Amino acid sequence: MLMATLISPAIPSSPSHRFFFPTTPYAKFVKLPALRCVSSGGHDNGEMSPEQSPNVELEMKNNGIWRLFKEAQQNILYLNKQRLKAVEELNKANREKQLLLDKVDELENENRRAGGKDNLALCWEVLLRIDSLVLGEMISIAEASDLRRIVIDRKVSVADLFSDMLEKRDAELLAELRHFSEGSRKKGYHIIHICTEMEPLVSVGPLAPYITGLSCVLQRKGHLVEVILPKYASLDLDEVQGLREVEAESYSYFNGQLHGNKIWTGVVYGIGVTFIQPLYFSSFFSRDSIYDYPDDFERFTYFSRASLDYIAKSGKQPDVLHLHNWETAIVGPLFWDIFAKQGLGNTRILLSCNGFESQCLEEPYKLALCGLDPVRLHRPDRLQDAGKTHLVNILKGGIVYSNEVVIMSSMHSKGRIIRSMSHGLEPTLALHKEKLLVAPYGFDNSIWDPSTDKFLPVNYSTENMRGKYACKVALQHQAGLSEHASSILVGCIISEVSDFELEKLKAAVYNATKGGAQFIFLGNVAVPTIDRALKSFQEELEDLDVKFFYHYNEALLHLMFAGSDIILCQSFDDPLLQVPLKALKYGAAPVLENTGDKNFRYSADHDHEITKFSQFMRSTFGNMSLSQALEEINNNPSTWKRKIMNAMTEDFSWDAECYDIHVSAYTAVKSL
């Protein structure tokens, strides 16, 4: 009798078989034991019936398939592991690359802040240490003057000899300086700026970039420049190399007695900087803001007098004291009435004005606070204000007592400034017209240059403009606009806004987008009025080719200039952002949002004393509206391209016209 051994009642009684259970998502083939025929005596004869032979073949075949399946599965797992390992290696390489790039940027920033610890920076550290030697009464004023001349004349040798200067004590440094051979003096000027702002330490308006931009180019071209600033509590001291307190007492006169100051020195972008910190009047510069306090006259008059006291005591004999705006204009009368007799007889005074809106009118008696004689100065030909004759005008005093006056204005002529923009100073400016010069603002061409700009995906120049088109496509992609190089892309950087200007801008954008133009607006979310106005503007233009950025970084700002065909400008006289200057450099046409801008309402003005920048703009893009610019691009592309290429070759940086005018002013005052 045959007995069948079964695995489960649910499985039919059959020979050796594989069963698949589809009830589970991870079902597998299950091998069941073969059914054997056993004799009644319980002995297995070991033979297979003919009916079982096909099942053996099927089992062998299934075993082969299963083996192949397992091998394929192992291969897939291995490949997945290798892929994950490769992705991990790639991510690691990218992280290392980014760390390397961040380190390079950090080193570049440190190099820029420290002037690369180059010869100039080391030279300045030595010069500032000489100042401390004088204040500490270790050397005389005469010897200090000789030592400064040695350092100025032999910058390279000084850097080699005193590279570890910060580690030396004063006595050791002095001994080495005294043994240092004297060389021939260069013909550059020694200029000291007495001012209230300097980029990147403290920046409120156009004065800060002007001080830094002009100082850097002057030093690059062989002049020695230093800056004296108040030591505000809000200073960004991370940018100062070798900041140290001078271990010597420094006193200045104010309100009938002497008051102590702390003197700090350091180097910023290769420029020697001195900070004056009042001790008794410690609240003067420990406030949240820089300007607009009721005691601003007292604050900045104290600083001006303290600066002169420091210069005189340290034995400096600069060629020019360069003053700025009303805040340090009081240095003019102070210098000629008091300090010219204290060893500064060969020094001359130059005043620069970033505008005449703020002049500082005060009661005459307050002049006595810094040691001036109110009766002597409260006269029409000196400090008496022309309109409010019972008051003194501090900015007027600076104009009267300066040897030369530089008015900073990129677009306006001297005649127009005197007649229409002097805010009551017209009689004084007209009387001193011969010593007035007009200089344009500039920009830093070491940062803003499309041929070397590290923020651009592709660099370009007038010799090869292909990178310009690549930057345009990159900007369109980042803004989410259709990426066509043939589309005219208009950029606009909003720094201020009024309802009237916004309505005119809306109309211009509507008309331009109908012709296929694209627009990108950069706003400033930190200014609530701009933020609200642009968001309202965006809602109205939602369906057009117009995009808005409310948060932007340095890279986006650079790409904006590089990728745009046209940059809409709120004004061509832009001392803070320098938008039109950068637009020209990057091959984007600067066009006024409002062609009725006051810059061009005086075409009949025959005063030829205007800047080269103003002359260039008047002959190219100055009187062009947005619609006219779009029309010329479409109808006269070759003419437009030639105009753009010519603009890119012009140099409107700090190194060009601005530098030339200031050096001519320094030369003029030194020849007096």
Side-chain angles (χ1 to χ4, degrees), residues 130 133-135 137-148 309-317 342-344:
I130 292 173
L133 294 175
V134 178
L135 294 174
E137 299 182 349
M138 294 184 67
I139 57 175
S140 67
I141 289 176
E143 184 178 5
S145 180
D146 292 338
L147 292 176
R148 289 191 187 98
D309 282 319
Y310 163 73
I311 291 170
K313 186 175 182 181
S314 62
K316 296 177 185 286
Q317 293 181 321
Q342 297 183 18
L344 294 171

Side-chain angles (χ1 to χ4, degrees), residues 518-583:
Q518 299 174 327
F519 286 81
I520 297 178
F521 287 88
L522 295 186
N524 187 350
V525 72
V527 182
T529 54
I530 295 177
D531 185 39
R532 288 193 299 269
L534 285 186
K535 286 182 178 176
S536 173
F537 195 13
Q538 182 178 11
E539 291 173 2
E540 295 186 41
L541 303 174
E542 191 171 0
D543 297 329
L544 301 176
D545 279 342
V546 183
K547 301 297 177 181
F548 293 79
F549 286 102
Y550 298 95
H551 301 276
Y552 58 91
N553 52 31
E554 190 74 7
L556 178 58
L557 193 59
H558 283 246
L559 187 60
M560 181 79 161
F561 286 104
S564 298
D565 298 299
I566 296 171
I567 294 288
L568 282 181
C569 301
Q570 295 180 286
S571 172
F572 288 154
D573 221 337
D574 182 6
L576 197 56
L577 298 179
Q578 304 140 350
V579 169
L581 304 178
K582 295 169 184 174

